[in-house]
Amino acid sequence: MLTAQNDSLTLDLTRALTEIISETNGINLSDTLELMSTSESNRTKPVIQRLAVEFRNLLFQFQSDQVEIETLLNHPMAKGLFGFFKAFPLSYRDSHTHLTGALSAEFIYPRLKKLLEGPNREIYEKKILSIYGPSSLPIKSQTDVERLLRLKDNERFSRYLSILMLAKFVMTDRQAHRDAAYHMAKELYTKYNVGFIRLKFSLSRATADEAESVPGLESLTEEDVVLGLYDGFMAFKTETPQWDFVLSPSFRKEGNFFDHKKYKSKRDHFLAQVNTVLELLDRHPQLTPYVHEVDTVGNEAELFRKSHFMDMKIGFRKLQYRGFKIRSHHGEVWKTLRKGIQAVDNAMNIWRIDTLEHGLSLGINPNFYFHSMYQRVLKWNRRGEAIRPGTPEFNEVSEMDWAEQHHPIREKLIAGELLNEDETRIFTKAKFHTAREVEIYQHDVLDRMIDKGVSLVSLPSSNTKLTNSFEDYKDHPFSWWEKKGVPLGIGTDNYVTLDTNYIQEMLIVLFTDPQGLKITKLLMVATGEEKRPYLSHLLWQMRKAQEA
């Protein structure tokens, strides 16, 4: 993970970047580097000129798959850019952070250590072994915790949800929530210039899933959770008045995530939770400026039909009548791309969401997506390899727009039986027409989303690491969405688990489109400031400050 550096080279690069960005009013990164390499003020600084040329070339190599994003992030110029963004006078708005994935090993370890030395030691150790594997114990240091918190390179969405358990172990009372909020606020503000956070958290963690159960949860109330987080953030706000936050209670979408002991159905439990939120606001009116929206989370791959949205519809209406906005994780993972788009469509039409979180199914290029899948499947077919059930290829091939008389060809593909030339042509046509229909549907949903003013929060590291939707970071659709006129925000998701931070996410977005995305536009999205002249003024203020 990229962090602030104070060595002389990084400081020189930050100064040079600040100078050229202020003089050019935040044009795109590629042109900025070109001008930086020929700047008169850098004429006596050959190292800076060389690094500007070198990094610009690396950006082009990244676009053509010759280098990985890590090569860019580890370059001295990236460290200089980190310093520039960290020093920007306006703080940033992290529009999407989850509580359990944003707690560092520094916070978790001392609390976990007490649990592992307590009376429930065997319960915790059994759960740790089942989730993290035989090499996870013993846990004797902060480093051991950090190793377990980080998502590995080969791990994806289903694994990501389970490894959040260590943080859940220690979040079982009001004081823990208060301490967590204060710790998070201080770290985000001082290290990454984040002055606003939209925190996602579970109002109730009651579940019938034994793997998700944690000792101590039985005494944790919704009031403990909300007031604990509020107290912690307000404690930091007292010290740093410009700090601000929104607490966004998040509800699992899956049908089995409800308290089976107290309620007959998910609908009943969700309505009870909605009533709890509203009662909390009635009892504690000081919460009102900070608790005015909710979110839905969880694995949505099998949740795309209209019927899947009905359990929570009535509860959302009740919240909307009280002025709440509805945000939802959709279009993040899917069984088929068409169903991923359908999930977003139903979230807009049935839940009437105000903000879409992730929304990848509206950023994938259907023609590229289906043709690359088509190429993989044909390669396997020539080798006589079957398509493994449960894979994206299996799901897409199974649900393509096959004419009824062509179903045997589909079955041959799935079984790994070699297609002849005519059968391959029919597969090509089925792929083509499926991609075309999905593309029309996707653009229809995206255009309606723009018309309705539904905003979208982009999470580059989360989207790339947790799904198989993109080959690389450069394929992330942030810049395409921006050009389409989608109202955008940036979030880190679970930044500790994903080994990232807000400024690193900004850099990734910048590197994905070094010629099309202006630095000023990125600053507008990240800070929420819409007045370009004011941003220009702030850039000059930065320059004056470093010249003083």
Side-chain angles (χ1 to χ4, degrees):
M1 177 171 64
L2 192 59
T3 57
Q5 306 291 319
N6 292 315
D7 59 278
S8 59
L9 177 59
T10 300
L11 294 175
D12 285 345
L13 286 168
T14 297
R15 281 191 286 268
L17 284 162
T18 302
E19 180 179 293
I20 196 69
I21 291 171
S22 64
E23 290 179 352
T24 57
N25 201 25
I27 58 176
N28 71 61
L29 181 59
S30 177
D31 290 347
T32 297
L33 292 168
E34 180 180 358
L35 294 172
M36 185 176 172
S37 67
T38 57
S39 170
E40 183 64 24
S41 60
N42 291 327
R43 185 170 54 82
T44 58
K45 302 171 185 175
V47 173
I48 289 178
Q49 290 181 318
R50 176 181 61 79
L51 289 173
V53 172
E54 181 180 278
F55 193 69
R56 187 167 183 264
N57 289 335
L58 286 173
L59 287 170
F60 291 128
Q61 291 173 36
F62 173 61
Q63 295 299 313
S64 58
D65 293 322
Q66 297 179 60
V67 298
E68 302 290 336
I69 190 74
E70 288 75 20
T71 301
L72 299 178
L73 292 173
N74 291 326
H75 193 275
M77 190 62 69
K79 297 172 184 176
L81 284 164
F82 190 104
F84 165 78
F85 285 117
K86 186 176 185 298
F88 191 70
L90 294 183
S91 58
Y92 304 120
R93 299 174 62 85
D94 190 335
S95 296
H96 184 129
T97 296
H98 290 274
L99 174 63
T100 49
L103 298 178
S104 65
E106 177 186 359
F107 177 83
I108 292 174
Y109 174 65
R111 293 162 176 81
L112 181 64
K113 184 173 182 290
K114 290 181 181 179
L115 297 178
L116 293 176
E117 293 172 351
N120 291 318
R121 174 179 178 173
E122 290 186 7
I123 296 175
Y124 289 112
E125 288 186 340
K126 183 178 179 181
K127 284 184 176 291
I128 289 171
L129 287 170
S130 67
I131 294 170
Y132 299 96
S135 62
S136 57
L137 293 176
I139 297 175
K140 294 185 175 181
S141 68
Q142 186 174 306
T143 303
D144 290 337
V145 172
E146 189 163 343
R147 173 173 51 86
L148 300 179
L149 289 178
R150 307 289 185 190
L151 192 75
K152 309 298 185 298
D153 289 340
N154 61 340
E155 294 175 335
R156 291 294 182 265
F157 189 79
S158 58
R159 177 62 179 157
Y160 151 78
L161 289 178
S162 65
I163 66 172
L164 300 175
M165 188 56 71
L166 281 187
K168 295 178 182 180
F169 285 163
V170 304
M171 301 298 291
T172 56
D173 59 35
R174 178 171 172 173
Q175 186 63 41
H177 284 78
R178 184 193 188 283
D179 294 345
Y182 181 86
H183 173 85
M184 192 186 311
K186 187 173 183 179
E187 182 168 84
L188 289 174
Y189 186 81
T190 57
K191 291 184 178 180
Y192 310 116
N193 193 25
V194 172
F196 171 88
I197 184 174
R198 178 170 280 109
L199 185 69
K200 321 286 184 177
F201 64 96
S202 297
L203 189 68
S204 170
R205 282 157 54 193
T207 175
D209 188 349
E210 178 60 29
E212 289 279 338
S213 63
V214 174
L217 276 185
E218 60 278 355
S219 59
L220 179 68
T221 67
E222 290 91 342
E223 192 167 44
D224 291 334
V225 173
V226 177
L227 291 179
L229 294 173
Y230 170 82
D231 290 344
F233 282 147
M234 288 303 291
F236 185 72
K237 188 174 178 63
T238 300
E239 301 171 6
T240 311
Q242 57 268 44
W243 169 259
D244 208 355
F245 63 96
V246 166
L247 297 177
S248 185
S250 300
F251 306 96
R252 291 290 289 261
K253 296 188 286 278
E254 299 94 323
N256 66 324
F257 267 83
F258 70 94
D259 190 338
H260 290 65
K261 295 178 181 178
K262 293 183 180 179
Y263 302 95
K264 293 181 179 180
S265 67
K266 182 177 182 64
R267 179 178 300 194
D268 291 343
H269 188 196
F270 180 57
L271 274 173
Q273 289 179 293
V274 167
N275 290 332
T276 297
V277 171
L278 297 178
E279 289 165 5
L280 270 173
L281 294 178
D282 290 338
R283 289 199 304 273
H284 305 282
Q286 74 273 20
L287 293 173
T288 303
Y290 305 100
V291 183
H292 48 71
E293 59 184 47
V294 295
D295 199 350
T296 69
V297 297
N299 192 337
E300 62 175 291
E302 298 290 343
L303 305 174
F304 52 88
R305 294 189 178 93
K306 289 181 180 179
S307 59
H308 296 147
F309 291 79
M310 294 306 174
D311 282 341
M312 304 176 81
K313 174 183 174 181
I314 297 174
F316 283 145
R317 288 293 182 274
K318 192 167 186 178
L319 288 168
Q320 286 164 331
Y321 286 131
R322 287 286 296 267
F324 271 70
K325 291 188 175 182
I326 311 300
R327 310 171 74 91
S328 188
H329 289 50
H330 274 102
E332 180 180 11
V333 293
W334 52 79
K335 189 173 182 180
T336 65
L337 181 55
R338 191 199 309 265
K339 289 176 178 175
I341 299 168
Q342 184 180 348
V344 176
D345 193 9
N346 283 326
M348 282 201 299
N349 293 334
I350 299 173
W351 288 352
R352 299 175 189 167
I353 61 173
D354 299 278
T355 300
L356 176 64
E357 313 278 350
H358 294 283
L360 287 186
S361 60
L362 300 187
I364 294 284
N365 183 320
N367 290 294
F368 183 89
Y369 172 85
F370 280 103
H371 198 76
S372 59
M373 178 273 299
Y374 160 87
Q375 291 177 329
R376 289 192 299 274
V377 170
L378 274 186
K379 184 184 296 184
W380 297 339
N381 185 258
R382 293 192 189 100
R383 296 175 186 162
E385 297 177 13
I387 305 176
R388 288 183 292 108
T391 60
E393 291 80 7
F394 180 90
N395 296 333
E396 296 290 2
V397 168
S398 298
E399 299 190 20
M400 274 186 179
D401 294 332
W402 297 95
E404 187 173 348
Q405 66 269 28
H406 296 149
H407 286 181
I409 299 175
R410 178 186 64 190
E411 300 310 315
K412 287 182 70 174
L413 271 174
I414 290 173
E417 298 176 20
L418 185 64
L419 300 187
N420 61 35
E421 188 174 335
D422 288 338
E423 291 169 333
T424 299
R425 188 178 300 111
I426 290 169
F427 176 34
T428 306
K429 289 182 177 180
K431 181 275 304 179
F432 174 84
H433 290 295
T434 299
R436 181 67 182 131
E437 290 299 315
V438 171
E439 182 182 39
I440 291 171
Y441 186 28
Q442 180 195 64
H443 281 256
D444 177 57
V445 173
L446 185 61
D447 288 342
R448 280 190 286 118
M449 192 178 96
I450 295 170
D451 289 341
K452 289 173 179 286
V454 175
S455 58
L456 189 153
V457 176
S458 176
L459 304 107
S461 286
S462 175
N463 297 156
T464 306
K465 290 183 177 183
L466 300 184
T467 73
N468 292 316
S469 303
F470 302 118
E471 291 292 326
D472 198 1
Y473 284 93
K474 73 178 189 313
D475 302 316
H476 192 276
F478 178 93
S479 192
W480 182 67
W481 284 329
E482 188 269 320
K483 291 176 177 63
K484 285 279 289 183
V486 178
L488 289 169
I490 298 173
T492 54
D493 209 357
N494 292 277
Y495 74 92
V496 172
T497 306
L498 296 171
D499 198 22
T500 188
N501 58 63
Y502 194 87
I503 296 179
Q504 182 164 305
E505 294 300 286
M506 292 177 67
L507 293 180
I508 289 171
V509 166
L510 197 59
F511 297 166
T512 59
D513 189 8
Q515 293 182 293
L517 180 62
K518 293 182 179 180
I519 294 172
T520 300
K521 181 61 181 181
L522 178 59
L523 286 169
M524 291 173 71
V525 173
T527 63
E529 176 55 62
E530 298 180 352
K531 298 185 288 293
R532 286 178 183 267
Y534 181 52
L535 290 176
S536 300
H537 167 73
L538 292 176
L539 289 172
W540 276 99
Q541 292 300 109
M542 285 180 70
R543 176 173 175 161
K544 289 180 180 178
Q546 74 177 18
E547 288 175 350

